[in-house]
Structures are given as structure tokens and as C-alpha cells.
Amino acid sequence: MSWHFQALADNTWYLLRQGSWVMVAIFVAGQAGWYFVVERWWYYRTRTCDVTGLLRDMEPDPDALEKRLLSDGRVRGVFKEIVRALSESRPLGREAMVHRTREVLQASGSHLNRHLSTIAVLAAAAPLLGLTGTVVGIMVTFQVITVYGVGNPSMMAGGIAQALMVTEAGLVVAFPLLLLHDHLHNRASAIESDCVAGATTLIRVFSREAA
């Protein structure tokens, strides 16, 4: 295990040295992007609950339904905040419940979408950094040609290799981040949609309207 880790560290250090500062920037962007991806994945996992399942067999008595939802450990995340807000505003009537639900959804929406734009920016920046590295590598190659001519291809190999490696690294970093950003965005939208549907159902029940 230690041998494999050492080999990975050596290869990573080699690529960073070969790609100069551009490769370092791509590496940092990739690490930051994956950090935010993991953070969002864990956040959504802890904020998700089966709203449909919790409301599938609702008690006809609004008081009993409210009591069950407030004490049910499966109710968590945004939906838990909605249940608490509806419980507090229920004595004030339907308009108060709708107002409080909107406040909770607005506040939770900013939390659900936090860092998603950062992931998108990092995914878009990686190929641009790769393009920058391509330009830098070509410039190095032309400098070698200017000094030594084209008679020795091995002298030009360094610049060409740098251009190709940095370009590839930018694409390798960007592609998974783009896919994961789309997945996380859909996950956040699904959580919000489930909570809106659940809140609408609860407001109808608590207002003694037909569900």
C-alpha cells in the first residue's frame, strides 16, 4: 500500500513539474471542485427524506398528523423545517402558513444551491487553464526552435509534451465536474420539489380542506 501511494505521489509531482504553474492551477481547481462535490453530496444525503412515504397514509385528524410528523425521526432536512413552521403558524390561519412556508423554502433554496455555481465555474475554468498551458508549451517550443533550430526534435519534445499534458489534464478535470454538477443540481431541485408538494398537502390538511 505504501509503495503504491509513493508511486502515485511521485507521478503527481512529475506531472506538476512538467506542466509548470498551469498544471498546479488545474490540480488545485480539481481538488477544490471535488471537495465541493463531496460536501454537497453529504449535505443532500443528510437533508433528504421520503416526503411521499411520510404523507402516504395520513391521519384524518390534523392534530394527530401534526403530532406524528413533529415526533417522527424520519422527518428531517428542509421538510422538517417546513413542518415546524406550519405547526407554529397553523393557529394564525392559511395565509400565515403559506407565508411561513415561502420563507422556509426561500432560505433553504439558498442553502441547497450553495457551492453549485462554484463547481460549475471550476469545471469551466479547467479547460481554459488547459488551453493556457497549450499556449505556454507552444511558446516554449518556439523558443527552442529559435535558439537551436529544428534539427534536434528531442529539444522540442519538452514544450510539446507540456502542451499536450496540460490540455489533457484540463479536460480530465472538467468532464467529471460537469457531470457531477448536473447531478447535484437535479438532486437539489428534486428535494425542493418534494418539499413544496409536501407543504402544499399539509397546508390543505391543516386548513381542513380536501387533500
Side-chain angles (χ1 to χ4, degrees), residues 148-170:
Y148 299 100
V150 296
N152 190 352
S154 62
M155 297 292 294
M156 299 183 292
I160 297 174
Q162 177 181 345
L164 295 177
M165 282 192 304
V166 174
T167 303
E168 181 181 10

Side-chain angles (χ1 to χ4, degrees), residues 34-80:
W34 277 99
Y35 167 79
F36 289 124
V37 165
V38 173
E39 188 271 339
R40 288 290 88 188
W41 172 81
W42 182 256
Y43 181 81
Y44 294 151
R45 182 179 180 182
T46 59
R47 305 285 289 181
T48 304
C49 66
D50 184 12
V51 177
T52 304
L54 290 168
L55 300 179
R56 182 175 294 115
D57 299 320
M58 293 189 301
E59 295 83 347
D61 182 12
D63 294 330
L65 176 61
E66 177 184 346
K67 183 178 180 181
R68 177 176 67 84
L69 291 176
L70 289 174
S71 60
D72 196 333
R74 295 174 300 170
V75 180
R76 59 182 181 176
V78 180
F79 189 60
K80 184 176 182 179

Side-chain angles (χ1 to χ4, degrees), residues 47 75-86 100 104 107-108:
R47 305 285 289 181
V75 180
R76 59 182 181 176
V78 180
F79 189 60
K80 184 176 182 179
E81 297 174 7
I82 289 175
V83 171
R84 288 179 176 174
L86 291 176
R100 286 288 291 117
V104 172
S108 64

Side-chain angles (χ1 to χ4, degrees), residues 181-194:
H181 170 266
D182 185 64
H183 172 73
L184 293 172
H185 182 270
N186 292 336
R187 184 81 177 275
S189 299
I191 293 174
E192 190 169 5
S193 298
D194 289 343

Side-chain angles (χ1 to χ4, degrees), residues 125-146:
L128 296 178
L129 289 171
L131 180 60
T132 303
T134 302
V135 175
V136 172
I138 293 175
M139 291 176 61
V140 171
T141 302
F142 279 122
Q143 289 175 357
V144 172
I145 292 175
T146 301

